[in-house]
Amino acid sequence: MPEATYLDANELVINMGPQHPATHGVLRVKLRLDGERVLGTECIIGYLHRGVEKIAENRTYVQFAPYVDRMDYVAAVTNGMGYCEAVEKLMGVELPPRAQYTRMILAELQRIASHLLWLGTHALDIGAMTPVFYTFREREEILKIFENYCGARLTTHAFRIGGLQYDLYDGFEKDATKFCDYLLPKIDEYEELLSTNRIWMNRTKKVGVLSGKDAIALGVTGPVLRGSGVKWDIRKVQPYEAYDKVEFEIPTGQNGDTYDRYIVRIQEMRQSVRIIRQSVERLAPGPIFGKVGKVIKPPAAEVYHSIEAPKGELGYFVVSDGSTHPYRVRVRPPSFVNLEALDIMSRGHLVADIVAIIGTLDIVLGEVDR
Amino acid sequence: MALSSDTLFLLGVAVVKVVVVLLVLLTAIAYIVWLERKLVAHIQSRWGPYRVGPYGLMQPMADGLKFLFKEDIVPLEVDRFVYWLAPFLSFTLAMLTFAVIPFGGSFKLFGHEIYLQIADLNVGLLYIFAVTSLGVYSIALAGWSSNSKYPLFGGLRSSAQMISYELSLGLAVVGTLMISGSLSLRDIVNSQTGTWHLAGTNTFLPHWNIFVQPVGFIVYFIAAIAETNRIPFDLPEGETELVGGYHTEYSSFKFAMFFMAEYANMVTVSCIATLLFFGGWHGPVFGPAWLHVLLPVFWFALKVFCFLFFYIWTRGTLPRFRYDQLMAFGWKFLLPVALLNILATSFVVAWIGT
């Protein structure tokens, strides 16, 4: 006799996404629920897969550069920076200081923009609908600076392999400093709205706890790792550009919960402002390109280079066969790795917490799926 | 038997009152939506609607027309009858409560005393609670009949939430009932006439219940926000979690009915708060006789508007509670506080008399 199939009445499988207001794009999460309690999650990704890595094999090094902007489309500048640096490392090119500081300023502005976007959407997920408009207002100022610099706002393609395409426009230094002065009180305003808000604290404290040990084991990076109390920032441990010449601190959390990650990101914005101020002071007139030939043709070798993107460690593994086309490019996207932590963080929590946890991981599906 | 002219006259007056209240109410609901969009927009440093008419004042009409012209999609697997019933129930019940809400004093017309109220039930308050608690059916039925998981979640959450907060809501107003000694809303308002006298001296504070029932009022107001499913208690429709909650599968005018019912309920609870705690239509009255009739209506509307403003303000500021926190707050905090308030009030009332 065949075994009778029965329905487990205690378990409800619910499909969250790929079209859902709070999954930040086309993430699909299969939730197994007991009432409101989450028994387990399963992420199904690939809805935004565009084969970025494969495209690289059919493009020259220069042609491929704009494609990386479309991975983490809310932090295009840092994405482009990582790629350019990886190829520069392959060719052994040293950048002049003006190019380095320019890259740092723009990258830190991008970090602030990315964190602002995260803060707004995260708060929106938890039900506070106002911060998103405030953070977008501030983000707009950053996008204006990008637009003035390179003509694009979102997918900037701001840098070129070996340096910068454009020198800074007149008044850039003033714009950057003015923005720093403008931003700091605004961050205080967000904190006033959220940091001590009882409902906000109830919703984020002890939610999605990730211990430092688990975080390291899963390989998560960026603010998610630092929120768990691990002091790890590529800018400090493997300095690139001129990050070893500026002073800044690495904010860390203690409990590894959603609230700590929120505080870490808020503090990081303040640290970014510090870096921008110092870099602007050190901007001296000079060349903006290192010694690269007209044709980018790196020697046959392979290289892994990683930078601290707003969302964590963004690594590029580039294999060159000595031609003008990369033999293979592999990206280590922070969002993809951080998303692995969703299951362990959300078990035993409620449905509403899933939304908070997806928000706190700060994922961008363009980067997860590539 | 032929009806006497008096009866016919009173019948005519009643019909006129019903029509006027319904029209005013529907317009008010439309413009509360406009007000909410405008206010929240300004809180969020935006302009809000401004394209349709001056200051976007025609926006509610445009929205209404849009709802009417939208395709009415009925998903395949729904329980048809219940699926249809739920929005109608929701809207009808929300409208029914206004039958007993007094919005002004009275005036004489052709020798008849005409009260600004559709029906003065002697159990008006009980009637309102009875009707609003039926409202939970519409949401539970909508969630159930949609035959979809997200609406089911929304329906379950909201049944639990509304039943829990209904208790606190009902208990919070018991204090005022003990003070006024009546369930008729008109009597409760009339018991709040004049000013408070403390040890024989006139304090010039209006004789409103809020000054003797502050705890009752706070409990009432918090429970009312939960009862109307507004932020920070808007779990049943928490859009970032449950997409649209119980009305996910509804479209076109059926959705509009849920929408209007929500705003009508907002007006209801604001009206009750005004009547029970803030002296209803009482306020400074002066000028000619017609002003004596209209000013109270104005004061009443102004007080209700203040509550609605507060509602919208809250929405622009606070995040959303989580389900378990909401339940804990309702049962472990609001309910005991409401009970203690009743206990304290009853002792005081027994001691000094009503």
Side-chain angles (χ1 to χ4, degrees), chain B residues 83-133:
Chain B
Y83 181 80
W84 273 89
L85 180 70
F88 286 99
L89 200 63
S90 163
F91 183 66
T92 318
L93 290 173
M95 290 288 135
L96 272 181
T97 49
F98 286 91
V100 295
I101 287 176
F103 42 88
S106 63
F107 61 94
K108 274 210 185 325
L109 192 68
F110 305 121
H112 289 280
E113 189 82 6
I114 294 180
Y115 291 97
L116 293 176
Q117 183 180 18
I118 293 175
D120 186 11
L121 285 186
N122 57 1
V123 287
L125 197 58
L126 273 185
Y127 166 82
I128 286 183
F129 281 126
V131 172
T132 47
S133 50

Side-chain angles (χ1 to χ4, degrees), chain A residues 6 24 29 33 35 55 107 127 140 159 169 183 193-194 228 234 261 274 278 284 288 326 331 357 364:
Chain A
Y6 64 94
H24 292 225
V29 187
L33 302 175
I55 291 172
E140 186 64 26
F159 310 131
Y169 64 90
L183 182 73
L193 207 53
L194 297 172
S228 301
I234 311 275
R261 286 185 284 272
R274 269 180 79 187
Q278 294 173 47
I288 54 165
V331 187
I357 294 167
V364 161

Side-chain angles (χ1 to χ4, degrees), chain A residues 250-319:
Chain A
I250 309 172
T252 51
Q254 283 131 30
N255 308 322
D257 57 11
T258 304
Y259 185 79
D260 277 13
R261 286 185 284 272
Y262 154 76
I263 293 290
V264 163
R265 287 194 177 101
I266 291 273
Q267 295 297 350
E268 265 181 26
M269 284 198 263
R270 297 205 169 100
Q271 295 301 329
S272 290
V273 167
R274 269 180 79 187
I275 298 174
I276 294 170
R277 283 190 204 275
Q278 294 173 47
S279 306
V280 168
E281 274 171 24
R282 288 170 204 194
L283 270 178
I288 54 165
F289 241 96
K291 284 199 174 69
V292 281
K294 283 221 165 119
V295 179
I296 305 284
K297 209 168 173 184
E302 53 183 56
V303 71
Y304 177 77
H305 181 72
S306 63
I307 63 162
E308 185 71 26
K311 293 168 178 65
E313 180 185 341
L314 172 69
Y316 287 91
F317 180 66
V318 185
V319 182

Side-chain angles (χ1 to χ4, degrees), chain B residues 299-315:
Chain B
W299 292 126
F300 180 74
L302 186 72
K303 288 171 190 174
V304 172
F305 171 80
C306 288
F307 282 111
L308 292 172
F309 180 86
F310 195 82
Y311 261 103
I312 296 166
W313 186 11
T314 319
R315 182 173 172 213

Side-chain angles (χ1 to χ4, degrees), chain B residues 193-244:
Chain B
T193 328
T195 52
W196 283 106
H197 289 263
L198 204 69
T201 49
N202 194 346
T203 56
F204 293 104
L205 272 181
H207 195 272
W208 294 348
N209 282 334
I210 173 74
F211 298 110
V212 282
Q213 284 288 319
V215 179
F217 170 68
I218 290 165
V219 172
Y220 172 83
F221 198 68
I222 295 173
I225 296 175
E227 188 70 13
T228 46
N229 299 329
R230 300 272 306 175
I231 272 185
F233 303 104
D234 67 336
L235 303 172
E237 43 196 299
E239 57 182 16
T240 49
E241 297 151 27
L242 298 182
V243 191

Side-chain angles (χ1 to χ4, degrees), chain B residues 3-18 112:
Chain B
L3 292 168
S4 72
S5 66
D6 267 9
T7 321
L8 273 177
F9 176 75
L10 288 178
L11 207 64
V13 167
V15 170
V16 168
K17 278 199 285 197
V18 169
H112 289 280

